[in-house]
């Protein structure tokens, strides 16, 4: 992974025309723009005159900020409460910035800092400025205050120092400030925790070449930190961290650039998780093409982005379809992480997903989205932060999140990430585990009298998706229904439209209804829902629901329910479903005893039948009941 | 070199930490050569401070083959928090006694190791210990929590071969511009940069890109040279 980041960094430098061998380029990498927002419009320049024996305070100039002077301002951010890397700082409060935290303390800190190895002449130069600023502290402060009052409230300013020295010179015009910036910016790679970790003439682990110096604290991402001695294997000695992860200066900077590039062009989100998509070119000559895909995607207008089909998350920007259209000249790594200022946790690292794999995932998704039962399903979606009902259930990883997500009661997101990983990398998922997750959700809804339609169809869609990708492990392959044997027993008879409809459905999803027990359970679910609808119409309540035992159903209960449902329908004088009852009996006989199905699996096929029962509505029932559904 | 010791190692889990991770440790899919030297050192009972001097590339010829598909899982572990330099076993302001780290582990790892050593005595001792299923220290896969089992497959004669044709290789393939890989459909090729050789003071002196197939299938390649065993297996040393 770290190598992929380095390659991206190299590409980014090349694109900008930056060469790390050149010291001017190195400076331009290290310098930051002090105007972190457009509100920084003003420069408060403390002007000093250079005299033979030191400096004298001249005045404060209020200048307009200019991007072209970035190298002269020579800014780089330091720690929050301490001075910045050079005496150029953003103003928070004038007194704090000038006196307490930034400008004056910068000189005091620098003059004490022996690690900088400054020449006597340089020290004298800095001491001269410091003396001048300290002596005129109150005057400068009052002038700064007066000038800053002229600045509008919604605009910000930056303090720096300019010196009249054969013309006006900024700190960036003096080599002493430039060298200090370089030393301090780079020292973070080897000086930390009051320790120093570097070595000479060693192999850099990134470029694999021998380098004059390698550093031990290069922490491009915070998944490498040696803030605890325990993190340093081979002796718990932080100063020897360079032995574990030696990085040369050039590679450290390249990695930083790669990180910046990934943040700009390749960071995404799904279901509250952040991830980087890190492409790794397989053919060196085509490297640039890979990165251009990322740039194109981030560059296009938001409306155009909406045109891409989403696989992971419906509501977030997603580049995967664009990637899936490419040839296999690169592969992709997904780094899913959680970041806080203190740490960077890798939640999941998915390695080497080829565009062809993504294409397959999209193809199966498109196939499922075209199926009528999903097209007719009503689901709630969030659009622009508002909940809306949409009449089309499209497959995406939201189906997995629906059952294995994070709710107030429980956090199953660990499973969600695991399933995501398995799908992307073609690893099988245990069928009974999925069934458990799906039925946990459905049973909860059923007990609370909520509609189970969306959940059962989402579950069905998910299982079909995985089945068609051949990712279900321990899925009972069962015995395919032997039409001949059934007709041998019962005679072909005159199949009604509904029976044909059922057989058609089983045929369409033959990979899912792959044995007779599953068909029998499904059809019994259909019948049970028809009965509930009739009860609801006639009595305004559905007392038969209690017989369904909160969907904790097994073979014995299923077999016992059939005569009970039939009996009830007869009692209501509305048994319009003798054809379906016959069909269920046929399948039950074919299935025999000992179905070897878990309660979850039985419950799922049953509830799916309930929710698709509208496909088998009797015309007579519709006329008398108006076709209302009790499961709503 | 005309012979090699072949033995299988396996365990429930393995963790070979990628060197550029500490707080979210990721694992290599196969043991780096440096980990194998530690493994053999443990069998031989060589001390931590001295084993490295016996395993330079000039003396020890080592490579690895993948026998089980690589399955990676993530498990959180509570480690001792050493942030303040020592173990404080109770909670106090700004300090927790433990720190939770999410590890990446290899589940059900199984590897075939090939080993030859120029020192006849050390070679013979390794062979005797392996054949008797004995080890002086406890061998493990990456970290001491993952104790390993091993089985001696045998001592095989080997021959260096130079061939023009593509051949299927049982071991991992170290990157070399002279070698050509034939990428086949339904194969999952992975490559990882890993440490190969350490100096006596544990400074890594060589890193190399190592290629393997994730499911343990043999990679087809045209090679500058390779070694063929009695049983037809073909290997390249790391």
């Amino acid at each position: 992974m770290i190598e992929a980041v380095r390659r991206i960094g190299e590409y980014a430098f090349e694109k900008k025309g930056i060469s790390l061998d050149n010291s001017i380029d190195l400076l331009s990498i290290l310098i930051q723009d002090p105007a972190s927002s457009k509100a920084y419009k003003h420069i408060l320049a403390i002007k000093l005159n250079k005299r033979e024996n030191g400096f004298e305070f001249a005045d404060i100039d209020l200048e307009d900020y200019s991007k072209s002077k970035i190298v002269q301002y020579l800014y780089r951010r330091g720690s929050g409460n301490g001075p910045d890397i050079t005496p150029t700082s953003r103003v928070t409060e004038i007194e704090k910035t000038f006196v307490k935290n930034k400008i004056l303390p910068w000189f005091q800190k620098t003059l004490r800092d022996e690690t900088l190895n400054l020449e006597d002449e340089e020290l004298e130069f800095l001491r001269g400025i410091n003396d001048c600023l300290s002596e005129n502290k109150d005057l400068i402060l009052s002038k700064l205050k007066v000038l800053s009052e002229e600045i509008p409230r919604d605009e910000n300013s930056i303090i720096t120092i300019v010196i009249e020295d054969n013309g006006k010179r900024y700190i960036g015009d003096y080599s002493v400030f430039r060298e200090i910036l370089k030393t301090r910016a780079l020292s973070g790679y080897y000086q930390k925790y009051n320790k120093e970790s570097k070595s000479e003439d060693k192999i850099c682990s990134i470029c694999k070449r021998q380098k004059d110096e390698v550093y031990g604290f290069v922490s491009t991402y915070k998944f490498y930190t040696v803030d605890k001695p325990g993190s340093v294997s081979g002796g718990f000695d932080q100063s020897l961290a360079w032995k574990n992860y030696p990085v040369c200066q050039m590679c450290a900077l390249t990695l930083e650039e790669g990180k910046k590039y990934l943040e700009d062009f390749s960071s995404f989100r799904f279901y509250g998780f952040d991830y980087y998509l890190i492409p790794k070119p397989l053919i060196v000559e085509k490297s640039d093409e890979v990165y251009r895909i990322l740039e194109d995607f981030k560059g296009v207008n938001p409306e155009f982005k909406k045109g891409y089909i989403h696989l992971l998350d419906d509501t977030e920007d997603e580049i995967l379809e664009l990637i899936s259209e490419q040839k296999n000249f690169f592969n992709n790594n997904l780094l899913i992480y959680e970041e806080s200022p203190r740490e960077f946790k890798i939640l999941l690292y998915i390695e080497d997903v080829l565009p062809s794999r993504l294409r397959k995932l999209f193809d199966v998704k498109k196939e499922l989205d075209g199926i009528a039962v999903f097209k007719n399903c009503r689901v709630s979606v969030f659009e622009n932060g508002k909940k809306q009902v949409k009449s089309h259930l499209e497959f995406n990883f939201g189906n997995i999140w629906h059952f294995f997500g994070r709710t107030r009661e429980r956090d199953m997101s660990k499973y969600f990430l695991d399933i995501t990983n398995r799908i992307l990398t073609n690893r099988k998922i245990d069928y009974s585990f999925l069934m458990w997750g799906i039925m946990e959700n459905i049973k909860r809804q059923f007990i609370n009298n909520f509609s189970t339609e969306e959940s059962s169809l989402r579950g069905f869609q998910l299982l079909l998706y995985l089945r068609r990708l051949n990712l279900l492990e321990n899925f009972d392959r069962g015995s395919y229904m032997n039409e001949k044997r059934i007709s041998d027993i019962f005679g072909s008879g005159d199949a009604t439209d509904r029976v044909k409809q059922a057989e058609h459905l089983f045929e369409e999803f033959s990979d899912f209804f792959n044995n007779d027990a599953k068909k029998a359970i499904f059809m019994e679910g259909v019948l049970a829902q028809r009965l509930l609808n009739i009860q609801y119409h006639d009595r305004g309540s559905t007392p038969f629901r209690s017989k369904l035992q909160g969907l904790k159903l097994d073979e014995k209960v299923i077999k016992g329910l059939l005569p009970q449902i039939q009996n009830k329908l007869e009692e209501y004088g509305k048994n319009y479903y003798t054809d379906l009852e016959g069909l269920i009996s046929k399948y039950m006989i074919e299935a025999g005893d000992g179905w070897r199905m878990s309660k979850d699996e039985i419950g799922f096929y049953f509830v799916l039948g309930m929710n698709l029962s509208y496909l088998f509505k009797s015309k007579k029932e519709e006329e008398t009941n108006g076709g209302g559904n009790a499961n709503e | 070199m005309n012979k090699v010791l072949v033995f299988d190692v396996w365990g429930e889990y393995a963790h070979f930490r990628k060197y550029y991770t500490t707080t979210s440790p990721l694992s290599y899919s196969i043991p780096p050569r440096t980990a194998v030297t530690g493994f053999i050192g443990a069998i031989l009972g060589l001390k931590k401070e001295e084993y490295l001097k016996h395993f330079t590339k000039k003396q020890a010829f080592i490579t690895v083959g993948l026998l089980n598909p690589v399955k990676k899982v993530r498990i959180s572990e509570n480690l001792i928090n050493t942030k303040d330099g020592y173990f404080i076993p109770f909670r106090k302001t700004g300090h927790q006694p433990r720190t939770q780290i999410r590890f990446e582990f290899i589940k059900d790892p199984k590897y075939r190791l090939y080993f030859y050593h120029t020192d006849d005595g050390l070679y013979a001792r390794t062979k005797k210990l392996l054949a008797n299923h004995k080890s002086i220290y406890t061998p493990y896969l990456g970290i001491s929590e993952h104790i390993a089992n091993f089985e001696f497959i045998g001592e095989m004669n080997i021959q260096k071969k130079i061939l023009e044709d593509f051949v299927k290789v049982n071991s991992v393939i170290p990157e070399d511009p002279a070698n050509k890989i034939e990428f086949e459909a339904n194969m999952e090729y992975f490559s990882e940069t890993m440490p190969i050789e350490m100096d006596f003071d544990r400074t890594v002196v060589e890193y190399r890109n190592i290629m393997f197939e994730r499911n343990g299938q043999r990679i087809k390649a045209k090679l500058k040279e390779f070694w063929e065993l009695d049983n037809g297996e073909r290997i390249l040393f790391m």
Side-chain angles (χ1 to χ4, degrees), chain A residues 74 122 169 171-181:
Chain A
L74 203 76
E122 292 168 331
R169 297 176 75 178
I171 57 167
D173 296 326
Y174 290 95
S175 69
V176 58
F177 290 107
R178 292 200 297 266
E179 289 306 314
I180 289 173
L181 178 127

Side-chain angles (χ1 to χ4, degrees), chain A residues 1-3 202-206 208 222-231 233-234 242-246 280 342 344-349 351-352 414 417-418 421 425 427, chain B residues 17-24 26 29 69-72 74 81-85 99-100 102 104 175 188-193 201-209 214-215:
Chain A
M1 182 199 122
I2 208 76
E3 244 188 68
K202 294 287 176 332
I203 308 279
C204 163
S205 63
I206 305 292
K208 304 185 201 116
K222 287 217 160 41
F223 52 68
Y224 176 84
T225 54
V226 279
D227 57 338
K228 306 174 184 77
S231 306
S233 57
W242 63 266
K243 282 190 184 182
N244 292 347
Y245 180 31
K280 202 163 122 191
R342 288 181 51 223
F344 184 102
K345 257 191 202 173
I346 300 175
L347 299 179
L348 177 67
Y349 184 49
E351 286 171 279
D352 292 9
K414 208 168 83 183
L417 289 179
D418 190 48
N421 183 20
T425 56
R427 308 263 149 237
Chain B
R17 187 172 58 83
K18 289 186 176 169
Y19 57 86
Y20 55 85
T21 61
T22 53
T23 49
S24 275
L26 299 175
S29 304
V70 176
K71 278 191 281 179
K72 287 186 174 173
R74 278 147 295 279
N81 184 4
T82 57
K83 182 135 189 183
D84 300 317
T99 171
Q100 196 169 66
R102 204 178 170 102
E104 185 180 71
E175 189 181 55
E188 296 181 69
Y189 299 91
F190 272 62
S191 71
E192 293 175 346
T193 300
D201 68 348
R202 302 190 73 87
T203 309
V204 179
V205 291
E206 187 186 348
Y207 292 89
R208 209 162 173 193
N209 221 13
R214 177 154 64 177
N215 299 302

Side-chain angles (χ1 to χ4, degrees), chain A residues 328-341:
Chain A
N328 281 354
F329 61 91
F330 65 103
N331 63 27
N332 299 283
N333 302 311
L334 271 77
L335 181 83
I336 303 170
Y337 65 93
E338 215 172 68
E339 193 175 19
S340 68

Side-chain angles (χ1 to χ4, degrees), chain A residues 356-569:
Chain A
S356 59
R357 175 70 192 158
L358 290 172
R359 195 147 58 237
K360 187 160 188 198
L361 299 182
F362 275 99
D363 286 347
V364 178
K365 170 198 151 56
K366 286 175 198 163
E367 190 184 306
L368 291 188
D369 289 348
I371 292 174
V373 286
F374 301 126
K375 276 187 171 169
N376 300 331
C377 175
R378 285 166 301 162
V379 288
S380 323
V381 287
F382 282 89
E383 262 169 28
N384 303 327
K386 279 183 186 165
K387 197 174 176 182
Q388 288 171 0
V389 175
K390 201 171 151 188
S391 64
H392 192 169
L393 179 62
E394 283 174 7
F395 179 82
N396 57 45
F397 282 28
N399 285 43
I400 310 165
W401 186 253
H402 188 82
F403 301 108
F404 298 97
R406 201 182 280 143
T407 61
R408 235 173 293 158
E409 298 90 44
R410 61 168 73 190
D411 183 1
M412 304 235 273
S413 56
K414 208 168 83 183
Y415 299 125
F416 170 74
L417 289 179
D418 190 48
I419 296 169
T420 302
N421 183 20
R422 284 164 185 267
I423 293 175
L424 288 169
T425 56
N426 201 14
R427 308 263 149 237
K428 289 194 186 277
I429 301 154
D430 188 72
Y431 172 64
S432 42
F433 167 72
L434 277 171
M435 265 307 175
W436 165 79
I438 292 169
M439 281 313 288
E440 278 295 292
N441 177 299
I442 293 178
K443 279 190 283 194
R444 221 173 23 245
Q445 291 175 347
F446 187 83
I447 291 164
N448 292 317
N449 275 338
F450 296 140
S451 167
T452 52
E453 185 190 1
E454 184 181 335
S455 293
S456 59
L457 283 173
R458 272 189 189 278
F460 182 35
Q461 205 179 31
L462 174 61
L463 291 167
L464 274 180
Y465 186 73
L466 298 174
R467 180 91 180 106
R468 291 188 182 179
L469 287 168
N470 198 20
L471 289 181
L472 284 182
E473 193 161 52
N474 299 323
F475 180 72
D476 168 27
R477 296 193 171 271
S479 53
Y480 280 84
M481 182 182 64
N482 186 337
E483 293 286 349
K484 216 170 168 198
R485 274 172 60 203
I486 288 189
S487 44
D488 282 352
I489 300 167
F490 294 96
S492 56
D494 300 318
T496 63
D497 286 349
R498 280 196 302 247
V499 171
K500 280 185 193 153
Q501 169 85 342
E503 281 166 359
H504 175 72
L505 186 87
F506 296 149
E507 208 174 295
E508 187 176 353
F509 302 117
S510 58
D511 43 0
F512 191 68
F513 292 102
N514 58 351
N515 68 41
D516 295 315
K518 290 176 180 174
K519 294 174 189 171
I521 300 162
F522 175 84
M523 290 312 296
E524 194 168 286
V526 171
L527 199 63
Q529 186 61 49
R530 301 316 322 156
L531 170 63
L532 292 176
N533 290 356
I534 289 168
Q535 276 195 330
Y536 186 73
H537 176 262
D538 287 9
R539 309 176 45 154
S541 63
T542 53
F544 196 77
R545 259 178 97 90
S546 62
K547 301 265 186 198
L548 303 182
Q549 307 190 0
L551 294 179
K552 287 177 199 143
L553 306 169
D554 58 18
E555 183 181 337
K556 205 173 142 196
V557 179
I558 290 287
K559 285 181 170 168
L561 270 177
L562 181 61
Q564 290 185 52
I565 298 172
Q566 245 174 304
N567 184 35
K568 276 283 163 212
L569 287 167

